[in-house]
Amino acid sequence: MELVNERKPRPPTNEDMLKAQIGDEFACVTNLDQKSMMDKSQWRRCVVRKVKKDLWEVLDESAMELLKEVLDIVGEDEGVSKEWGLWYVFPSEEDSDAALEAAKKGGDFEANDLRLQVSPNRAMLRWDSFEGQRKQAKIMQKRAQGSDGKFTVGDVVQVGLHWVDQTKVDGKNLTAVVVEVLDGGNLRCACKNGVLKNTYTPHTVSMLPGPSNNRVLCGLDSAFKEWQGLPKITEREAARVVSAVGGQGFNIMCHCNGSCDNKRCSCKKAGVLCSSKCHAGNLKCLNSSEE
């Protein structure tokens, strides 16, 4: 009823539904049984919530129970926003009166009471998720606007690492140089030890600002000039080379009792620093990040 009253002065239209933001909710009446859509006795009061760009949730009228998920199919006349007013209808006065009557009789008391108890928590979690998505969208939009979405060959950029390719102590981005702008606008980038296998849309990378956007200062001039002869590598492989601990999934432990200053130490031999897992309490180690 709150959603009905919010929209009552001007019930939502198809255009409103198409422009809906993630997290928006609308009261509606629909029939969940596709085989009896014409049977008005089977229609029930529901709440529809947009959860992704092309995905809606259909919930019961207390918004507590998920009844089904509906896709807005691109290029088709199917989905909540496209079928609004046909198979998803804004509640009429009769529907509103029926909802009030059910509430008065206590038919929905248990569900409403449960919603009052649980809703603040669920609302907070959903709002945090929504805010996180909106914040990320703003960051990506800012990146695109900062460079006008245009990159040229030779630009130095930061490529974000997926969490599965990161370690807890290393940076979350790879510094790379744009070596090719493809026909579709995607960017091919190279690091010191190879050309990244993936290509990147402009809004997924960020350009280094001002004087720092210099491939010579970043040690990428050689990679830029010789990229066609370099091997193709993954982000994880590229991150491993610049990692202080050998990269994600790289588990070398030396267990030395000495100074770890020669190749008898497996960490020193591999060119990585000793970690806390190698030899806790060994004060002689000279290959530690704490030396």
Side-chain angles (χ1 to χ4, degrees), residues 1 44-47 59-64 67 99 102 108 112 115:
M1 287 307 301
R44 61 184 290 185
R45 300 181 297 274
C46 298
V47 172
L59 309 155
D60 68 344
E61 63 182 308
S62 68
M64 288 294 299
L67 303 177
D108 294 333
N112 289 335
R115 187 180 185 190

Side-chain angles (χ1 to χ4, degrees), residues 199-219:
T199 59
Y200 306 92
T201 54
H203 70 272
T204 60
V205 301
S206 57
M207 189 184 299
L208 289 185
S212 61
N213 196 318
N214 185 312
R215 59 178 180 269
V216 177
L217 293 178
C218 294

Side-chain angles (χ1 to χ4, degrees), residues 237-248:
E237 290 170 321
R240 180 175 294 167
V241 173
V242 296
S243 172
V245 294
Q248 175 73 314

Side-chain angles (χ1 to χ4, degrees), residues 52 71 97 149:
K52 291 184 181 178
L71 277 171
D97 291 343

Side-chain angles (χ1 to χ4, degrees), residues 32 88 93 113 137 159 175 213 219 230:
L32 301 174
Y88 300 90
E93 290 291 336
D113 184 58
V159 177
T175 301
N213 196 318
L230 294 176

